[in-house]
Amino acid sequence: DQQVKQNSPSLSVQEGRISILNCDYTNSMFDYFLWYKKYPAEGPTFLISISSIKDKNEDGRFTVFLNKSAKHLSLHIVPSQPGDSAVYFCAARRFQGGSEKLVFGKGTKLTVNP
Amino acid sequence: EAGVAQSPRYKIIEKRQSVAFWCNPISGHATLYWYQQILGQGPKLLIQFQNNGVVDDSQLPKDRFSAERLKGVDSTLKIQPAKLEDSAVYLCASSPFLTGELFFGEGSRLTVL
């Protein structure tokens, strides 16, 4: 039962253009969504998040959009830079039994070409 | 601020052998997580500690995996006996409070032959 889905295993864009990474979820109990970035041989690092009560959160070149009715969120990177090349994981949080649970998608590998 | 420390970084063993991974979280972080990441998959939670108590171990294969958190700080994850399908990166993460913003270590890559 995959509750968080990233249907695109990979994405390739040109430097300076926009990168759009997509994520779908199935559980309406998720209240918080996060994007993590992972470079090879390193652990994931937190990038940006959004609460379920918002539809947009922006941090510099990174913007996350949430469409609750469609159970869909997306990460926009503008402009894309070669250093953005990494695997991006979408994660969703729900509370259960007094603790928070994070469920991760399979990731999308972004390649930004110079 | 020091990050989450994990060791060893790499381990190669034969099936049916045992292995142990160690994690030292960021100082003051009450919650500690062990995730398993198989190649091409997202991280899957194995066990979650709040201080030194287990909050969630529903996806931990308890017949072969065990974990403990010593005095609410360091943690060890043990696999005995290992199977081929245990080949993965084992990620330790910690968080200070309920934000979902986990701080991950670099991971321990296990290869079972």
Side-chain angles (χ1 to χ4, degrees):
Chain A
D1 177 25
Q2 196 177 347
Q3 300 183 58
V4 178
K5 299 179 183 179
Q6 294 177 259
N7 292 319
S8 297
S10 62
L11 175 68
S12 182
V13 300
Q14 287 298 119
E15 181 178 6
R17 306 295 290 267
I18 184 172
S19 297
I20 299 177
L21 295 91
N22 294 303
C23 178
D24 297 292
Y25 62 95
T26 58
N27 193 331
S28 299
M29 299 301 291
F30 291 137
D31 72 334
Y32 200 68
F33 302 90
L34 308 96
W35 286 93
Y36 283 80
K37 177 180 180 179
K38 185 182 182 304
Y39 292 117
E42 294 184 12
T45 56
F46 169 74
L47 183 60
I48 192 170
S49 61
I50 187 167
S51 167
S52 60
I53 62 174
K54 295 186 176 181
D55 55 16
K56 177 182 176 182
N57 187 28
E58 189 173 355
D59 183 3
R61 297 185 297 112
F62 303 90
T63 303
V64 57
F65 296 93
L66 175 63
N67 182 334
K68 281 188 67 176
S69 61
K71 293 190 174 66
H72 177 84
L73 64 155
S74 60
L75 173 68
H76 293 212
I77 307 174
V78 182
S80 301
Q81 299 173 354
D84 296 329
S85 297
V87 177
Y88 289 78
F89 291 100
C90 172
R93 182 189 78 173
R94 71 179 192 275
F95 277 97
Q96 181 176 332
S99 66
E100 60 176 356
K101 314 292 181 188
L102 273 190
V103 180
F104 285 84
K106 290 186 176 182
T108 296
K109 183 177 181 180
L110 173 65
T111 303
V112 181
N113 301 302
Chain B
E1 179 183 75
V4 176
Q6 289 189 246
S7 67
R9 289 293 311 278
Y10 303 94
K11 189 74 176 179
I12 300 174
I13 61 173
E14 295 188 350
K15 60 183 179 183
R16 291 188 289 274
Q17 287 187 323
S18 63
V19 63
F21 303 111
W22 172 83
C23 173
N24 181 236
I26 293 173
S27 178
H29 284 196
T31 309
L32 185 147
Y33 311 77
W34 281 103
Y35 282 87
Q36 180 192 58
Q37 186 179 11
I38 293 173
L39 188 63
Q41 304 287 321
K44 184 185 92 171
L45 180 68
L46 292 176
I47 189 166
Q48 179 178 344
F49 294 93
Q50 183 77 19
N51 297 310
N52 61 351
V54 175
V55 172
D56 183 359
D57 63 356
S58 58
Q59 297 192 91
L60 186 74
K62 298 180 187 63
D63 57 334
R64 298 182 302 106
F65 286 64
S66 65
E68 62 178 359
R69 189 174 184 193
L70 307 173
K71 299 181 181 178
V73 182
D74 292 10
S75 178
T76 56
L77 175 70
K78 296 179 181 177
I79 308 174
Q80 182 179 14
K83 292 185 175 182
L84 296 176
E85 59 261 35
D86 298 332
S87 293
V89 175
Y90 291 85
L91 295 163
C92 179
S94 66
S95 70
F97 38 78
L98 304 178
T99 64
E101 296 175 23
L102 275 57
F103 295 79
F104 283 89
E106 293 182 314
S108 295
R109 179 177 295 277
L110 173 66
T111 302
V112 182
L113 303 175

